[in-house]
Amino acid sequence: MNPEKIKLVAFDLDGTLTQHKSKLGDQNRQILDALGKKYRLVMVGAGMCRRIFEQMNHYPLDIIGNYGMQYAKYNPETGDIDIVRNAQLPCDRESVEKRVTAMREKYGFTEFAGDNVEYHDSGCVTFPILGTKAALPDKLAFDPDRSKRRKIYADIKSVFSDYIVFVGGSSSFDMTPAPYDKAYALDLYCKEHGIAHDEVVFVGDDYGEGGNDESVFKADFNFIKIDNYEKLPQAVAELL
């Protein structure tokens, strides 16, 4: 990476800028302020733009949500975000239900609390292995190192070939309609703003197999790995 060539710094959120599902803290807010004086900043998230904006304590930057299905621009006049793209794709629920049930039966995940599948308005799908109403302690204890899910990840990907599949949360697989993933989303943003891939650096923590940053890591973008959000200053020191 040549810092002098960089125009855009793109970020993952949970685990990169914040603790999971926690608000942006003062230290990393100051880092963003410093980076924002030199580069354009954008958030590339897995969740909806509004949720990301709230978790970011209304930090003034553009947000790509739902892996590119949603896009919000920061409005300095209102101090809020304006949703400018919000794709919602159809989902064949009957087909998804059958495939999830088959995977449960194949791998012994037949006991679960709540619903078999969680459907999202965007067309994204979550396969909650312990069910939609599983207790939080059970979810956290199920697969903390993701090894259980990574053993069957290739099979899940094959069965759900019409989706992009991620090892999500603590006990689930998250799926977005193809071709939406973070690399696709970031490429689209670059095309819309006239930015070349080698003028971008992405900062993310979930770059391993099945991680939602993996697609960017494997693409031709510059990538800064981070394994602890508290170490962001050290991770981006070269850019500052």
Side-chain angles (χ1 to χ4, degrees):
M1 179 181 68
N2 179 0
E4 294 183 359
K5 195 171 184 179
I6 299 301
K7 295 181 179 178
L8 174 69
V9 184
F11 292 94
D12 168 57
L13 180 53
D14 287 343
T16 297
L17 293 179
T18 71
Q19 178 61 281
H20 289 271
K21 297 184 179 180
S22 301
K23 296 279 190 177
L24 178 67
D26 289 340
Q27 173 188 264
N28 286 353
R29 188 181 186 95
Q30 291 173 11
I31 294 297
L32 291 178
D33 288 343
L35 289 169
K37 293 176 180 178
K38 299 180 65 176
Y39 313 100
R40 186 185 190 114
L41 307 180
V42 66
M43 175 62 59
V44 187
M48 297 183 70
C49 293
R50 174 57 59 183
R51 182 191 67 76
I52 294 170
F53 186 61
E54 295 301 327
Q55 187 176 342
M56 290 281 290
N57 278 322
H58 296 191
Y59 192 83
L61 82 173
D62 293 347
I63 300 172
I64 300 169
N66 289 345
Y67 299 97
M69 298 180 74
Q70 194 174 72
Y71 173 50
K73 296 186 68 174
Y74 181 76
N75 187 332
E77 294 183 1
T78 63
D80 202 354
I81 53 173
D82 297 326
I83 304 294
V84 297
R85 180 167 59 243
N86 189 28
Q88 294 182 321
L89 300 181
C91 174
D92 184 344
R93 295 193 178 196
E94 182 179 357
S95 172
V96 170
E97 289 284 345
K98 287 181 179 179
R99 285 181 279 173
V100 167
T101 298
M103 291 296 96
R104 287 190 182 280
E105 292 174 352
K106 182 174 183 177
Y107 292 106
F109 300 136
T110 53
E111 293 186 9
F112 57 93
D115 295 330
N116 187 36
V117 183
E118 182 178 1
Y119 298 98
H120 305 277
D121 291 342
S122 60
C124 296
V125 172
T126 299
F127 171 8
I129 293 174
L130 302 183
T132 57
K133 295 185 178 179
L136 181 59
D138 292 338
K139 292 196 292 184
L140 294 175
F142 175 74
D143 189 23
D145 64 356
R146 304 188 178 192
S147 60
K148 292 180 182 178
R149 286 169 292 165
R150 281 181 172 148
K151 285 180 181 178
I152 65 174
Y153 177 65
D155 196 12
I156 300 294
K157 281 179 63 178
S158 176
V159 170
F160 289 92
S161 59
D162 47 337
Y163 288 87
I164 308 296
V165 181
F166 308 99
V167 178
S170 55
S171 59
S172 63
F173 290 102
D174 295 333
M175 308 179 193
T176 61
Y180 290 100
D181 62 18
K182 288 188 177 181
Y184 175 86
L186 188 54
D187 174 68
L188 180 60
Y189 185 88
C190 288
K191 289 176 179 175
E192 292 175 342
H193 293 85
I195 301 171
H197 285 200
D198 61 356
E199 296 173 329
V200 179
V201 59
F202 183 91
V203 186
D205 73 310
D206 199 8
Y207 49 83
E209 183 184 23
N212 65 34
D213 298 330
E214 182 188 16
S215 64
V216 185
F217 180 64
K218 288 185 172 181
D220 59 347
F221 296 102
N222 297 293
F223 195 103
I224 293 177
K225 298 178 181 179
I226 183 168
D227 296 305
N228 182 343
Y229 74 99
E230 295 178 326
K231 302 297 184 181
L232 182 68
Q234 295 93 318
V236 301
E238 186 179 2
L239 294 170
L240 294 171

